[in-house]
Amino acid sequence: MTQTASKQRVKPANQTEKTSVATPKAENEVSANIPEISTSKKKKRTSPDADTSTEPISNKRTNKRSAKSEFNSQPLIESGMEVICSQTKFHDALSLVSCATPAKPSHPILANALIIADIETQQIHLTVTDLALTIQASFEAQVLLKGEITVPVVMLFEIVKHCPNGNISLSSQTQIIQLIDEDKQTKICSLGLSDADGKYEIRGISAEEFPPSSTIDATPIPLPTTVFKDGLKGVIYAVSTDENKYILTGVHIQLTQEKLKFIGTDGHRVATTELSTQGIGRKPRKQVESSEIQFTIPGRVLKELARNLDDSVEFINLLYDAQSNRLGFAWQDIILRCQCLEGTYPDCEQLLARFSFDREVILEKAFLVKALERLAVLTDKKEKGIYLQFDGALQQLRLSIEREFGKGDQVIAAHLPSEMSLNIQFNLKYLVEAAKAIPSSAIKMHLQQSDHPAMLVPYGDRPNPELQMEMRQFLLPLYTLNA
């Protein structure tokens, strides 16, 4: 009896072993048998031979998975650029183009900088865009192999900024992985940086996904940098920052053969600067000779332009395509492109022509600005006004401000008609910004009465006296005061 029982216990195990080592069938037949074998596995969990019976199936599954992973683990690797460049030049170019990086990118690619290594020109081209503004900067480098890639601007800038002075080596590569389940490829791009102290690697995005940069088909118009920057500084402060006032967030520019005019307004103040275009560039300038060119440039674009346009640059080339309403500025190895604002800019000249001014006051700019800055400490969000009291008998201007938490009073000398006595109130912030924008040692203020705007113009010495310039700043009063 004991021997018979022993044989009965061994026989199922032997049958299972024979089944497991049988000649392999088609894959679909093996898959069909898996549920049945799994069931016997559950029944024989307490049997000493249970683990042995499941071993062949486990090996089949492992082999199947390993074959699949082996197919995926051998991506095709493509080498990209190989470049040696100066840390200083790389840092300066990144600092400039990063101005176009959006604060909250609508797509990951907009947070990246496009890096192109050009072996023919031996240059690196960096491009950043937020779709409204595109900045490209180029600099010389030793390009061994050409290539292109995009990487996060902020991360790249921080790494390069902390690299020691000297040379930086750049290399890029792309891994192409074929997906098993899907009939497509996945690209994994990376940029390697190395300097004297260490190595870094940044994961990037293929340059194919970067928005294409359209060229502006227009004849360049060379403008003297001094003329352009002086005109811009006189109006840029007056543009609106309220996106609801869309067209007023830009500076309106009118260009003819004889003049270059800038206009900025936010609805409470108006600033205009008109400069002579004598000596602007060289011919051909046919599009300027026949008619006037006018467009409205976003204030943000012009602020970045003024900040990055060095005074050592003699000329800046302006390119305007009226059909696409796109504008470009080019100087040295830098190109800035933007879309001009759509809409009709208000006719500020017609608006201001309704007012006349028959009272003139001359003030020293430095004294006026210092007095206003001291009193600005007492301003708050609710009340920003400052009182101006002109006294012709004492030849002085009294500036005063009063709040619940304190008050201030400043008196400065002024040249004005002896019979003049006028009280008027302005927004202190607007007044001090207008005064600072005037490029002269003194300011001439034109007034009429307490409910009329004031006009401020340059007076006295100017930094560029040879430059023919007419600048006017108009301020509307806060409310009427009794004279």
Side-chain angles (χ1 to χ4, degrees), residues 227-240:
V227 172
F228 188 84
K229 291 186 71 173
D230 283 2
L232 183 59
K233 288 178 181 178
V235 304
I236 191 65
Y237 76 92
V239 301
S240 177

Side-chain angles (χ1 to χ4, degrees), residues 169-326:
S169 297
L170 304 176
S171 62
S172 65
Q173 69 174 19
T174 302
Q175 297 183 13
I176 303 176
I177 301 176
Q178 180 70 46
L179 298 180
I180 294 291
D181 300 333
E182 302 178 19
D183 188 18
K184 65 178 182 179
Q185 296 178 336
T186 298
K187 292 184 178 182
I188 301 177
C189 306
S190 60
L191 177 69
L193 295 88
S194 61
D195 56 26
D197 297 336
K199 297 180 179 180
Y200 312 89
E201 184 174 327
I202 306 176
R203 181 66 59 88
I205 302 176
S206 173
E208 298 172 356
E209 299 187 28
F210 198 81
S213 298
S214 57
T215 58
I216 299 175
D217 187 15
T219 303
I221 304 174
L223 303 174
T225 303
T226 303
V227 172
F228 188 84
K229 291 186 71 173
D230 283 2
L232 183 59
K233 288 178 181 178
V235 304
I236 191 65
Y237 76 92
V239 301
S240 177
T241 57
D242 185 357
E243 292 299 328
N244 294 323
K245 302 177 180 179
Y246 176 69
I247 194 67
L248 300 186
T249 59
V251 173
H252 192 66
I253 296 180
Q254 299 173 349
L255 176 62
T256 66
Q257 182 65 26
E258 295 80 21
K259 66 179 181 180
L260 176 62
K261 188 173 184 178
F262 298 82
I263 306 172
T265 181
D266 61 1
H268 303 284
R269 50 188 172 169
V270 179
T272 68
T273 306
E274 189 172 313
L275 304 102
S276 171
T277 58
Q278 294 299 321
I280 291 186
R282 298 177 181 176
K283 292 187 177 183
R285 290 200 308 271
K286 294 183 179 179
Q287 76 251 42
V288 185
E289 295 173 2
S290 58
S291 61
E292 181 181 73
I293 298 175
Q294 53 181 327
F295 40 80
T296 304
I297 310 178
R300 171 176 172 256
V301 173
L302 290 174
K303 288 178 181 177
E304 294 299 337
L305 178 61
R307 189 173 70 88
N308 292 289
L309 184 57
D310 195 89
D311 292 334
S312 61
V313 178
E314 186 177 359
F315 285 94
I316 178 172
N317 289 317
L318 183 149
L319 301 94
Y320 176 65
D321 183 5
Q323 186 174 359
S324 64
N325 200 27
R326 286 184 59 81

Side-chain angles (χ1 to χ4, degrees), residues 423-477:
N423 297 342
I424 192 169
Q425 185 185 35
F426 292 109
N427 183 304
L428 192 152
K429 177 178 178 291
Y430 293 171
L431 180 58
V432 72
E433 287 181 343
K436 287 182 176 180
I438 294 179
S440 59
S441 59
I443 297 173
K444 180 182 288 188
M445 185 178 291
H446 296 263
L447 299 160
Q448 178 62 28
Q449 55 194 49
S450 58
D451 60 350
H452 277 53
M455 181 174 69
L456 285 68
V457 299
Y459 186 82
D461 298 331
R462 294 191 294 113
N464 299 312
E466 71 284 354
L467 183 63
Q468 299 180 27
M469 178 175 63
E470 180 184 349
M471 178 182 291
R472 296 175 295 167
Q473 317 284 349
F474 296 89
L475 296 177
L476 297 176

Side-chain angles (χ1 to χ4, degrees), residues 36-155:
E36 183 180 352
I37 297 173
S38 300
T39 305
S40 67
K41 176 183 175 182
K42 290 182 179 179
K43 290 181 180 179
K44 293 183 175 292
R45 183 167 295 180
T46 57
S47 172
D49 299 327
D51 292 340
T52 305
S53 63
T54 60
E55 183 178 351
I57 297 172
S58 176
N59 289 340
K60 284 179 178 294
R61 291 177 177 174
T62 304
N63 293 339
K64 189 175 181 180
R65 286 197 301 267
S66 63
K68 183 177 180 180
S69 61
E70 182 180 358
F71 190 84
N72 273 333
S73 62
Q74 295 181 354
L76 176 64
I77 299 178
E78 293 183 352
S79 298
M81 69 179 69
E82 286 188 15
V83 177
I84 300 174
C85 63
S86 164
Q87 185 270 345
T88 302
K89 292 181 179 179
F90 199 7
H91 173 268
D92 292 345
L94 281 170
S95 178
L96 191 147
V97 300
S98 61
C99 302
T101 309
K104 296 180 180 179
S106 58
H107 190 279
I109 197 68
L110 298 181
N112 284 15
L114 172 63
I115 306 175
I116 299 177
D118 192 337
I119 196 170
E120 295 182 359
T121 62
Q122 289 293 298
Q123 284 187 323
I124 291 180
H125 308 293
L126 297 177
T127 307
V128 176
T129 183
D130 63 358
L131 300 183
L133 169 64
T134 301
I135 303 180
Q136 177 183 313
S138 305
F139 60 94
E140 294 181 354
Q142 184 181 354
V143 181
L144 305 178
L145 288 177
K146 67 178 182 179
E148 56 184 17
I149 190 175
T150 77
V151 292
V153 183
V154 176
M155 185 182 300

